[in-house]
Amino acid sequence: MTSSSVVWDRQLIDRYDLSGPRYTSYPTAPQFHNQFGEADLRQAITRSNAAGRPLSLYFHIPFCSTVCYYCACNKIITANRKRAMPYLERLMEEVARQGALFDRSRPVHQLHWGGGTPTYISDDEKRLLMAATREHFNLLEDDSGEYSIEIHPGDMDVATIGCLRELGFNRLSMGIQDFDPTVQQAVNRFNSVEEVRELVQAGRNEGFHSISMDLIYGLPHQTWNTFERTLASIIDLAPDRLSVFNYAHLPHLFKVQKQIDESALPSAEEKLLMMERITEVLLGAGYVYIGMDHFARPDDELAVAQQQGLLQRNFQGYSTHGGCDLVAFGVSAISAIDNVFAQNHKQIEDYQGAIDAGRLPVVRGFELSADDLLRQEVIKQLICQFELDFVDIECRFDIDFKDYFAAELEQLQPMAADGLVALTASGIRVILAGRLLIRRICMTFDAYINQSRSEIRYSKII
């Protein structure tokens, strides 16, 4: 249903390239509050069981052996791998505690281990965690779910690929960022083309369904000329999916970024050039533009889901499995269950203390109103499918779209005049020139954006 193409219009980008949310959730995380607690989460799980939706599970494993200077994730840097087991024991206790609250018959369509570096833990520790998960949740045994894990290619043994497949994982996500040695030295992140190639080949030999890679543009010492070489190597490795992220330098929020030399960062002009050329090269290599930072091969499940109108978006980004309640485990992890978001403690001591005290480790959250749920669906349709059908929304939410969103449709008029969107009697369609600016279009329907933009520092759209 969607074309793989985008149009790079520099004048429109200059006009609309503001800072804004990535919409991995709506409302976004700044709206979460600490008046939300364990009782609210338990009530949501009860409603969720009554609805009987399938489940998506997320596990946050925060440990890394070394620090990457660009990182904005919740992580713990330690070379002492014995620190992992006390955390994993609490993590498995949380799995048991939450598992007891969910209907055991509900299938797990999606599972993801993120971090940190999930492959930091030993293969035996991986087996323990997956066994505990299987004990308390209904994992699919026919390889039909999307079970994925993030790996650091420079920090794992190729033999671990076999272990991951044995445990049921069928998708690998590799954080590459850049192969250029000067850039790697500047951000303290090292992985060679040879290391990645060996892991990719092992993944294919083991029958992984999909291999995805993450790249970052805007890192110190990057130029299009240097990054072009990395991109050529990536295309030669032929991943099924690619995420190309814009580095957001926010050292006041993420202290580790203070170790990056600001004077070595590429200019805004150079970053725009890089993204323009990256998009051009990947489309020329046969990848489909999924949206925002994401590309995929036309036969990858992500591209197929978008073509079929089934693409979803959650805290892990674009997703192939919709209609799931997301149950998240571990420090800082965010669940999306029924009509609530629930986030665990961000500090490991607080997280482990809550588990030891016999509680669910939720520290804050948000209960979505009817208006939130409506706007969430509108934003999801636009950001995933690049189009929106008024009748579909009206039937599902019992509203008159043009009346309910009269102010928003008026705000879209200048974007329509500029060729970002087409407004018709039946819906909204994002035109090719608007696809790179989809976050800006979605901001029109965000009821919280004006009250939070003065307080929150978001990354630039491009």
Side-chain angles (χ1 to χ4, degrees), residues 192-204:
S192 69
V193 176
E194 292 71 25
E195 287 171 326
V196 174
R197 191 184 309 280
E198 188 177 15
L199 292 170
V200 167
Q201 190 58 56
R204 290 182 174 139

Side-chain angles (χ1 to χ4, degrees), residues 125-242:
E125 289 169 336
K126 296 182 187 73
R127 292 186 178 98
L128 277 176
L129 179 55
M130 191 62 87
T133 307
R134 278 196 163 85
E135 180 182 352
H136 297 286
F137 287 90
N138 181 20
L139 299 192
L140 302 176
E141 302 298 341
D142 61 359
D143 211 27
S144 64
E146 184 174 271
Y147 292 4
S148 59
I149 183 169
E150 298 170 13
I151 67 174
H152 178 352
D155 191 37
M156 68 172 287
D157 193 301
V158 70
T160 293
I161 297 293
C163 171
L164 297 178
R165 194 70 179 103
E166 164 204 322
L167 292 178
F169 289 104
N170 54 29
R171 185 166 75 82
L172 296 174
S173 178
M174 301 184 182
I176 308 297
Q177 321 320 353
D178 196 319
F179 284 130
D180 185 89
T182 303
V183 176
Q184 290 187 351
Q185 185 69 41
V187 299
N188 201 43
R189 169 80 173 204
F190 304 95
N191 37 230
S192 69
V193 176
E194 292 71 25
E195 287 171 326
V196 174
R197 191 184 309 280
E198 188 177 15
L199 292 170
V200 167
Q201 190 58 56
R204 290 182 174 139
N205 291 343
E206 292 287 348
F208 277 82
H209 297 178
S210 179
I211 296 174
S212 63
M213 296 182 183
D214 293 346
L215 304 175
I216 298 178
Y217 69 98
L219 295 176
H221 302 293
Q222 279 181 333
T223 66
W224 166 242
N225 289 335
T226 66
F227 199 76
E228 186 177 21
R229 293 192 289 271
T230 287
L231 204 55
S233 297
I234 293 293
I235 290 171
D236 181 59
L237 292 165
D240 301 281
R241 303 178 189 178
L242 270 169

Side-chain angles (χ1 to χ4, degrees), residues 7 22 40 88 104 120 145 156 226 237 262 298 349 356 386:
V7 169
R22 300 183 59 79
D40 301 294
L88 290 174
R104 185 68 171 77
Y120 175 96
M156 68 172 287
T226 66
L237 292 165
E262 287 194 36
E349 297 81 7
D356 292 345
F386 293 127

Side-chain angles (χ1 to χ4, degrees), residues 227-330:
F227 199 76
E228 186 177 21
R229 293 192 289 271
T230 287
L231 204 55
S233 297
I234 293 293
I235 290 171
D236 181 59
L237 292 165
D240 301 281
R241 303 178 189 178
L242 270 169
S243 300
V244 189
F245 296 107
N246 172 15
Y247 170 62
H249 189 60
L250 303 170
H252 66 291
L253 294 179
F254 310 108
K255 292 182 181 178
V256 69
Q257 292 185 355
K258 292 180 179 178
Q259 299 184 70
I260 283 181
D261 178 5
E262 287 194 36
S263 68
L265 293 174
S267 66
E269 185 69 26
E270 183 70 27
K271 287 178 71 174
L272 281 173
L273 173 66
M274 291 171 70
M275 188 56 199
E276 179 180 8
R277 298 283 174 80
I278 289 166
T279 303
E280 180 182 287
V281 168
L282 291 178
L283 292 179
Y287 286 88
V288 173
Y289 180 71
I290 299 297
M292 292 175 54
D293 321 288
H294 289 66
F295 300 81
R297 293 199 169 278
D299 59 350
D300 184 81
E301 289 182 353
L302 207 63
V304 172
Q306 188 174 57
Q307 289 289 333
Q308 296 175 343
L310 300 175
L311 189 65
Q312 305 292 315
R313 190 159 174 80
N314 60 26
F315 290 105
Q316 282 77 61
Y318 286 106
S319 162
T320 58
H321 288 75
C324 296
D325 280 328
L326 171 62
V327 189
F329 307 94

Side-chain angles (χ1 to χ4, degrees), residues 1-13:
M1 97 181 250
T2 53
S3 161
S4 64
S5 298
V6 293
V7 169
W8 188 277
D9 188 314
R10 181 56 189 272
Q11 286 188 329
L12 292 178
I13 288 169

